[in-house]
Amino acid sequence: MAKTKVKYLAVEGLPKGYLLLLGVLGLSTLIGVLSAHHMETEGHIITGMNNQIVWGLPHVFAVFLIVAASGALNIASISSVFKRPIYKPLARLSGVVAIALLVGGVMVLVLDLGRPDRLLVTITHVNPKSIFTWNIVLYSGFIGVVVVYLWMMMERKMNAYSRPVGIAAFIWRLVLTTGTGSIFGFLVARQGYDAAIYAPMFIVMSFAYGLAVFILILFAAYKATNRELGDKVVQRLAALLGIFSTGALFFVAVYHLTNLYATEHHGWDAFVLLGRNGGGVYATVFWLVQVILGSLVPIALVFSGLAHQSRKLLGLAAALVILGGFGQMYVTIIGGQAYPLVLFPGSEITSSFFDGVAGSYSPSIWEFLLGLGGFSLALAIVAFAVKILPFLPESLADSVVDPHHSD
Amino acid sequence: MRSLTRTLVFAMAAAMLLPLASLAEVPFPDIPKGKGDQCVAPTDVIRQTHMDLLVHKRDQTMHLGIRTKQYSLRECLNCHVQAKPDGTYPDIDSKEHFCNACHSYAAVKIDCFQCHVARPDDPK
Amino acid sequence: MSSNNDSKRSRRTFLKGTAAVATGLALAPGVRLLGVAQAKADDEAVTGAVRWGLLIDTAKCSDCDVCVEACHAENGVKDQGDPETTPQWIRKLMAKDKMTGHVVTLPMMCQHCEHPPCVDVCPTGASFRRADGIVLVDRHICIGCRYCMMACPYKARSFEHVDVTDQAPHAPRGKGTVESCTMCVHRVDKGREPACVEACNSTGQGAMVFGDLKDSTSSISMALAEHGGKQIRADLGLNTGVRYRGI
C-alpha cells in the first residue's frame, strides 16, 4: 500500500474569481428557479411541450445530470471497490460531484412537474409498482449513502469502513442507473423504448458522462487553485474516458442492430437513423452529435494518444462526450416520443390529435433556463463544497499519487 | 456600534408587531348567507373540520363512487354560493364568495378551485 | 335463520327486479333498460361484480363525430386555441390499410384496461382503476409528471397546459394535471350511459354499446359473445374494456 500521505485541503481565501464563479452559478440557478415559477404560473403552454411531446428539454437535462451523477461516483468506486490506489486521492471529489449532479438533476425534474407544490404527495401517496417511486427512493438513498461514504473516507477513525460502504454505494449506483434506464425500458407502448438493454446501456453511458464531467471539474479546480495535477492521474482518466465511450457506443450499436433485424422496429429505426417520416432532427442529432462528435471524435482523441499528450485535447474530448450525452438524451427522450404510436400495424392512421405523424417540439427559453439552472446548481454545490471542506488533495503530482514514481 | 444594534432591535420589534397591527385593521368577513336554515353539521364542527370532511368524502367519491350529498363539495357550493342580484355567481377570487370570504381572511390557500368550478351545479 | 326465508326473499327480489326491468322497458325502451336495472344506490361503493365496457361497431361508425362533440360538451372540454396542447378525451381515428387501402374509422379514447400501463407507472397512485373497471385520474394527488402519458399505448391522455375555468360541475379539470375519458363515471354511477354512447345511438350511427361485461345477459356481453370484439394492441395483453368490431 502507498505510504505517502495525501493531504487534502479546502480551497483557501476568497479570491475575486471564486466569488464571481459562485455568483454566476447562483444567478443562473436563481434564473432557473424563476423560469420554473413562470412555467407553473402560466402553465406548460409557455414551454414547447404538448400532448405529443410530454417530456421536453427539462427531462433531457435532468436525466443527463442524474445519469452523470451515478457515473461520477465511479472514480471513488474504482479506488475502494476495485482497490486501485491511484484513484484514491480523487475519491472524495468523485463523491461530491456525484451528489451535486444528482441534486441538480432532481431539482430540474421536480420543478418541471405540473404541480410541483404537491411534491410531498409522493411521500404520502405511494404506488410501489411505479418505477418513478423506486427512483424517488433510489435518488434520496443515493445522496444518503454517498454522504456516509464521504464521511467514512474523510474521518480517520472511520476509514476502515470506507470499503464496505464504498461497495454499498457502488451497488446502489448500479441499481440507480438501472432504475433510470428502466424509466424508458419499461414503457411497453412505444417503439423507441420497451427494451431491456436500456438499463445496462444507461449504466455504461453513465460511466462516460460522469467521468467527462468529473475530468472538466478536476481540471478547472486544479487550475483555479494553482495546485499540481500530474500526468499520471490525467492519463489514467483519459484512457478510462476512451474505454467508457467505446462501451457506450457498443451498446447503442447493439440496440440499433436488434431493431434493424426485427421488421417490427424498422419504422422506428428509419425514423431515428435515416430521418424518415419527420425524424430528420433526431437522425441529424443522432449521427452528428451523439455518434460523431460525442463518441467517435473523443474515442479517436483518446486512442490516438492525443488526449494523453495534451490536456486541452482531453478537455475537448470530455466536453464532446458531454455534448454527445445531451444529444443522446435528446434523441432518446424527445425522439422516442416524437415517433407516433403504432395503433394499427400495417395501416396509416390519421386524426385531429396528431396520430400517425411525428410529434413536433420546439423548446422554449424557459425550459432551457430551467435545465441550465439545474446544471449551475450542481456546479455551485461542487464549488462551495471544495471551499468549505477538504475534498481536494493539496497536490496530485505524480510523486504523490504513485510512490513508486521516479522522475 | 451600540446605536446600530439598538436601531436593529427596534426595527425587528417593529417588524414583528406589524402583522398584529394590520390584523387589527381587517374586519371579520361578512360571510354570505346560504340557502336553507341549517348546515349538514353544527357551525363550529364545520369550521374546524370541513377540510377533513371534504377530503374524506372526496376519496370516497373518487375511488368508491359513493355519491351521497353529505359533505360533498358540490353540495356545499349548491347551498352556500348564491346568485348575486344580477343573476351571476360570485367569483372565487372575490370576497363575496362563501369559501373565499373566510379563506382570504384567514390567509389559507384553497386547493379546490383550480379544478372544481366554484359555482353551484347547473339548474337541471 | 331458515333457508326458506332466504329463498322467499330472493324470489321476491327477483320478481321485483323483473318488474322493474319490465317497467323500464315500457317507459323508455332500449336506452333506459340499463338505467333502471343497474343503477346503484348513492351510498353504495362500486364493486368488482361489474365491469363496465364499450363495444364499437366500426361497420356502423362513419365519418361523423357526434360522440366527440357529446363527450366534450358533457365534460366541458373546450378548444384552447392550440391543437397541440388542447386536450381531447375522445377523437375520431381513421386507419387505412397500406396494402388493401381498406379504411376503418372509429372513436378512440381511454380503453379502460384491466392492466393499465398508466396505473403501473404513476408514482402517487393518482392514476387508478376503480373496482368496476373504470380507469381514472385522481387529480387531487396528481403531481403532473406525465409518466402516464408516456406509458399509455392509446394516446388517451391529455395534460392541461393552461388555467381552466368554467368547468362542468361534475367534471373537475385543472392546469398542471393529466386528464382523460372517465367513461362518464358521473353518469354511470347514476345508472346512465356515457355521453358518447347516448349521442351515437340517438343522433349518430348507433355504433356503440355500453354495459356490464361481467353480466352475461347484458346487451354488450351478448353482442360480444355473438360477434366477438377485438382489442386495439391486443398484443400488449391489457384486456381492454373497450372492444371493436371490424378491425
PDB file of all heavy atoms in Angstrom, chain C residues 207-227:
ATOM      1  N   ALA C 207     -73.526   2.978 -33.299  1.00  0.00           N
ATOM      2  CA  ALA C 207     -72.399   2.055 -33.396  1.00  0.00           C
ATOM      3  C   ALA C 207     -71.848   1.649 -32.032  1.00  0.00           C
ATOM      4  O   ALA C 207     -70.939   0.840 -31.964  1.00  0.00           O
ATOM      5  CB  ALA C 207     -71.285   2.688 -34.231  1.00  0.00           C
ATOM      6  N   MET C 208     -72.366   2.224 -30.952  1.00  0.00           N
ATOM      7  CA  MET C 208     -71.761   1.964 -29.647  1.00  0.00           C
ATOM      8  C   MET C 208     -72.735   1.301 -28.680  1.00  0.00           C
ATOM      9  O   MET C 208     -73.892   1.674 -28.604  1.00  0.00           O
ATOM     10  CB  MET C 208     -71.262   3.286 -29.028  1.00  0.00           C
ATOM     11  CG  MET C 208     -70.179   3.967 -29.841  1.00  0.00           C
ATOM     12  SD  MET C 208     -69.826   5.630 -29.216  1.00  0.00           S
ATOM     13  CE  MET C 208     -68.445   5.296 -28.143  1.00  0.00           C
ATOM     14  N   VAL C 209     -72.205   0.323 -27.962  1.00  0.00           N
ATOM     15  CA  VAL C 209     -72.981  -0.326 -26.915  1.00  0.00           C
ATOM     16  C   VAL C 209     -72.195  -0.203 -25.616  1.00  0.00           C
ATOM     17  O   VAL C 209     -70.981  -0.425 -25.594  1.00  0.00           O
ATOM     18  CB  VAL C 209     -73.202  -1.833 -27.213  1.00  0.00           C
ATOM     19  CG1 VAL C 209     -74.105  -2.451 -26.149  1.00  0.00           C
ATOM     20  CG2 VAL C 209     -73.783  -2.018 -28.594  1.00  0.00           C
ATOM     21  N   PHE C 210     -72.906   0.173 -24.546  1.00  0.00           N
ATOM     22  CA  PHE C 210     -72.278   0.272 -23.235  1.00  0.00           C
ATOM     23  C   PHE C 210     -72.921  -0.746 -22.317  1.00  0.00           C
ATOM     24  O   PHE C 210     -74.100  -1.052 -22.429  1.00  0.00           O
ATOM     25  CB  PHE C 210     -72.504   1.679 -22.668  1.00  0.00           C
ATOM     26  CG  PHE C 210     -72.130   1.810 -21.208  1.00  0.00           C
ATOM     27  CD1 PHE C 210     -70.805   1.928 -20.816  1.00  0.00           C
ATOM     28  CD2 PHE C 210     -73.127   1.805 -20.227  1.00  0.00           C
ATOM     29  CE1 PHE C 210     -70.483   2.045 -19.474  1.00  0.00           C
ATOM     30  CE2 PHE C 210     -72.794   1.924 -18.880  1.00  0.00           C
ATOM     31  CZ  PHE C 210     -71.468   2.039 -18.510  1.00  0.00           C
ATOM     32  N   GLY C 211     -72.136  -1.323 -21.411  1.00  0.00           N
ATOM     33  CA  GLY C 211     -72.759  -2.234 -20.459  1.00  0.00           C
ATOM     34  C   GLY C 211     -71.756  -2.978 -19.603  1.00  0.00           C
ATOM     35  O   GLY C 211     -70.550  -2.700 -19.620  1.00  0.00           O
ATOM     36  N   ASP C 212     -72.299  -3.941 -18.861  1.00  0.00           N
ATOM     37  CA  ASP C 212     -71.511  -4.701 -17.901  1.00  0.00           C
ATOM     38  C   ASP C 212     -70.950  -5.953 -18.572  1.00  0.00           C
ATOM     39  O   ASP C 212     -71.698  -6.846 -18.965  1.00  0.00           O
ATOM     40  CB  ASP C 212     -72.426  -5.077 -16.720  1.00  0.00           C
ATOM     41  CG  ASP C 212     -71.693  -5.898 -15.672  1.00  0.00           C
ATOM     42  OD1 ASP C 212     -70.461  -6.071 -15.805  1.00  0.00           O
ATOM     43  OD2 ASP C 212     -72.356  -6.359 -14.727  1.00  0.00           O
ATOM     44  N   LEU C 213     -69.654  -6.020 -18.672  1.00  0.00           N
ATOM     45  CA  LEU C 213     -69.013  -7.152 -19.340  1.00  0.00           C
ATOM     46  C   LEU C 213     -69.114  -8.437 -18.510  1.00  0.00           C
ATOM     47  O   LEU C 213     -68.932  -9.530 -19.030  1.00  0.00           O
ATOM     48  CB  LEU C 213     -67.532  -6.834 -19.625  1.00  0.00           C
ATOM     49  CG  LEU C 213     -67.253  -5.661 -20.556  1.00  0.00           C
ATOM     50  CD1 LEU C 213     -65.776  -5.311 -20.540  1.00  0.00           C
ATOM     51  CD2 LEU C 213     -67.705  -5.984 -21.974  1.00  0.00           C
ATOM     52  N   LYS C 214     -69.382  -8.283 -17.216  1.00  0.00           N
ATOM     53  CA  LYS C 214     -69.440  -9.465 -16.358  1.00  0.00           C
ATOM     54  C   LYS C 214     -70.834 -10.062 -16.289  1.00  0.00           C
ATOM     55  O   LYS C 214     -71.027 -11.132 -15.739  1.00  0.00           O
ATOM     56  CB  LYS C 214     -68.950  -9.117 -14.945  1.00  0.00           C
ATOM     57  CG  LYS C 214     -67.435  -8.968 -14.894  1.00  0.00           C
ATOM     58  CD  LYS C 214     -66.936  -8.886 -13.482  1.00  0.00           C
ATOM     59  CE  LYS C 214     -65.410  -8.839 -13.469  1.00  0.00           C
ATOM     60  NZ  LYS C 214     -64.905  -8.437 -12.154  1.00  0.00           N
ATOM     61  N   ASP C 215     -71.803  -9.321 -16.829  1.00  0.00           N
ATOM     62  CA  ASP C 215     -73.173  -9.822 -16.828  1.00  0.00           C
ATOM     63  C   ASP C 215     -73.438 -10.463 -18.189  1.00  0.00           C
ATOM     64  O   ASP C 215     -73.550  -9.773 -19.202  1.00  0.00           O
ATOM     65  CB  ASP C 215     -74.126  -8.648 -16.565  1.00  0.00           C
ATOM     66  CG  ASP C 215     -75.593  -9.048 -16.700  1.00  0.00           C
ATOM     67  OD1 ASP C 215     -75.862 -10.247 -16.923  1.00  0.00           O
ATOM     68  OD2 ASP C 215     -76.449  -8.151 -16.586  1.00  0.00           O
ATOM     69  N   SER C 216     -73.553 -11.787 -18.208  1.00  0.00           N
ATOM     70  CA  SER C 216     -73.657 -12.474 -19.499  1.00  0.00           C
ATOM     71  C   SER C 216     -74.965 -12.151 -20.210  1.00  0.00           C
ATOM     72  O   SER C 216     -75.117 -12.436 -21.385  1.00  0.00           O
ATOM     73  CB  SER C 216     -73.516 -13.980 -19.294  1.00  0.00           C
ATOM     74  OG  SER C 216     -74.532 -14.415 -18.414  1.00  0.00           O
ATOM     75  N   THR C 217     -75.932 -11.565 -19.478  1.00  0.00           N
ATOM     76  CA  THR C 217     -77.198 -11.238 -20.122  1.00  0.00           C
ATOM     77  C   THR C 217     -77.257  -9.790 -20.601  1.00  0.00           C
ATOM     78  O   THR C 217     -78.267  -9.361 -21.157  1.00  0.00           O
ATOM     79  CB  THR C 217     -78.375 -11.465 -19.154  1.00  0.00           C
ATOM     80  OG1 THR C 217     -78.225 -10.576 -18.046  1.00  0.00           O
ATOM     81  CG2 THR C 217     -78.409 -12.898 -18.649  1.00  0.00           C
ATOM     82  N   SER C 218     -76.203  -9.005 -20.337  1.00  0.00           N
ATOM     83  CA  SER C 218     -76.224  -7.612 -20.803  1.00  0.00           C
ATOM     84  C   SER C 218     -76.095  -7.592 -22.321  1.00  0.00           C
ATOM     85  O   SER C 218     -75.542  -8.521 -22.926  1.00  0.00           O
ATOM     86  CB  SER C 218     -75.083  -6.823 -20.164  1.00  0.00           C
ATOM     87  OG  SER C 218     -73.839  -7.265 -20.658  1.00  0.00           O
ATOM     88  N   SER C 219     -76.614  -6.515 -22.909  1.00  0.00           N
ATOM     89  CA  SER C 219     -76.590  -6.468 -24.373  1.00  0.00           C
ATOM     90  C   SER C 219     -75.149  -6.467 -24.895  1.00  0.00           C
ATOM     91  O   SER C 219     -74.866  -7.055 -25.946  1.00  0.00           O
ATOM     92  CB  SER C 219     -77.358  -5.262 -24.889  1.00  0.00           C
ATOM     93  OG  SER C 219     -77.024  -4.115 -24.142  1.00  0.00           O
ATOM     94  N   ILE C 220     -74.240  -5.843 -24.159  1.00  0.00           N
ATOM     95  CA  ILE C 220     -72.850  -5.811 -24.648  1.00  0.00           C
ATOM     96  C   ILE C 220     -72.242  -7.219 -24.605  1.00  0.00           C
ATOM     97  O   ILE C 220     -71.574  -7.653 -25.544  1.00  0.00           O
ATOM     98  CB  ILE C 220     -71.981  -4.786 -23.862  1.00  0.00           C
ATOM     99  CG1 ILE C 220     -70.612  -4.645 -24.525  1.00  0.00           C
ATOM    100  CG2 ILE C 220     -71.815  -5.183 -22.398  1.00  0.00           C
ATOM    101  CD1 ILE C 220     -69.765  -3.519 -23.980  1.00  0.00           C
ATOM    102  N   SER C 221     -72.515  -7.953 -23.519  1.00  0.00           N
ATOM    103  CA  SER C 221     -71.952  -9.298 -23.416  1.00  0.00           C
ATOM    104  C   SER C 221     -72.538 -10.218 -24.485  1.00  0.00           C
ATOM    105  O   SER C 221     -71.818 -11.031 -25.079  1.00  0.00           O
ATOM    106  CB  SER C 221     -72.239  -9.895 -22.034  1.00  0.00           C
ATOM    107  OG  SER C 221     -71.568  -9.152 -21.052  1.00  0.00           O
ATOM    108  N   MET C 222     -73.815 -10.057 -24.729  1.00  0.00           N
ATOM    109  CA  MET C 222     -74.447 -10.916 -25.735  1.00  0.00           C
ATOM    110  C   MET C 222     -73.920 -10.592 -27.132  1.00  0.00           C
ATOM    111  O   MET C 222     -73.638 -11.488 -27.921  1.00  0.00           O
ATOM    112  CB  MET C 222     -75.967 -10.788 -25.658  1.00  0.00           C
ATOM    113  CG  MET C 222     -76.506 -11.380 -24.357  1.00  0.00           C
ATOM    114  SD  MET C 222     -78.258 -11.743 -24.355  1.00  0.00           S
ATOM    115  CE  MET C 222     -78.980 -10.134 -24.297  1.00  0.00           C
ATOM    116  N   ALA C 223     -73.750  -9.290 -27.399  1.00  0.00           N
ATOM    117  CA  ALA C 223     -73.214  -8.901 -28.705  1.00  0.00           C
ATOM    118  C   ALA C 223     -71.787  -9.408 -28.859  1.00  0.00           C
ATOM    119  O   ALA C 223     -71.391  -9.885 -29.934  1.00  0.00           O
ATOM    120  CB  ALA C 223     -73.258  -7.386 -28.857  1.00  0.00           C
ATOM    121  N   LEU C 224     -71.008  -9.320 -27.771  1.00  0.00           N
ATOM    122  CA  LEU C 224     -69.618  -9.787 -27.835  1.00  0.00           C
ATOM    123  C   LEU C 224     -69.570 -11.299 -28.030  1.00  0.00           C
ATOM    124  O   LEU C 224     -68.745 -11.812 -28.790  1.00  0.00           O
ATOM    125  CB  LEU C 224     -68.867  -9.397 -26.560  1.00  0.00           C
ATOM    126  CG  LEU C 224     -68.338  -7.972 -26.509  1.00  0.00           C
ATOM    127  CD1 LEU C 224     -67.911  -7.592 -25.103  1.00  0.00           C
ATOM    128  CD2 LEU C 224     -67.169  -7.797 -27.479  1.00  0.00           C
ATOM    129  N   ALA C 225     -70.479 -12.012 -27.344  1.00  0.00           N
ATOM    130  CA  ALA C 225     -70.485 -13.462 -27.467  1.00  0.00           C
ATOM    131  C   ALA C 225     -70.856 -13.876 -28.883  1.00  0.00           C
ATOM    132  O   ALA C 225     -70.319 -14.839 -29.426  1.00  0.00           O
ATOM    133  CB  ALA C 225     -71.468 -14.056 -26.460  1.00  0.00           C
ATOM    134  N   GLU C 226     -71.756 -13.114 -29.474  1.00  0.00           N
ATOM    135  CA  GLU C 226     -72.215 -13.497 -30.797  1.00  0.00           C
ATOM    136  C   GLU C 226     -71.247 -13.078 -31.903  1.00  0.00           C
ATOM    137  O   GLU C 226     -70.895 -13.866 -32.767  1.00  0.00           O
ATOM    138  CB  GLU C 226     -73.597 -12.882 -31.045  1.00  0.00           C
ATOM    139  CG  GLU C 226     -74.274 -13.473 -32.274  1.00  0.00           C
ATOM    140  CD  GLU C 226     -75.649 -12.872 -32.497  1.00  0.00           C
ATOM    141  OE1 GLU C 226     -76.221 -12.316 -31.531  1.00  0.00           O
ATOM    142  OE2 GLU C 226     -76.146 -12.965 -33.638  1.00  0.00           O
ATOM    143  N   HIS C 227     -70.802 -11.817 -31.831  1.00  0.00           N
ATOM    144  CA  HIS C 227     -69.999 -11.307 -32.946  1.00  0.00           C
ATOM    145  C   HIS C 227     -68.522 -11.164 -32.623  1.00  0.00           C
ATOM    146  O   HIS C 227     -67.719 -10.923 -33.508  1.00  0.00           O
ATOM    147  CB  HIS C 227     -70.528  -9.939 -33.385  1.00  0.00           C
ATOM    148  CG  HIS C 227     -71.980  -9.919 -33.694  1.00  0.00           C
ATOM    149  ND1 HIS C 227     -72.512 -10.529 -34.811  1.00  0.00           N
ATOM    150  CD2 HIS C 227     -73.033  -9.392 -33.026  1.00  0.00           C
ATOM    151  CE1 HIS C 227     -73.824 -10.362 -34.818  1.00  0.00           C
ATOM    152  NE2 HIS C 227     -74.168  -9.676 -33.743  1.00  0.00           N
TER     153      HIS C 227
END
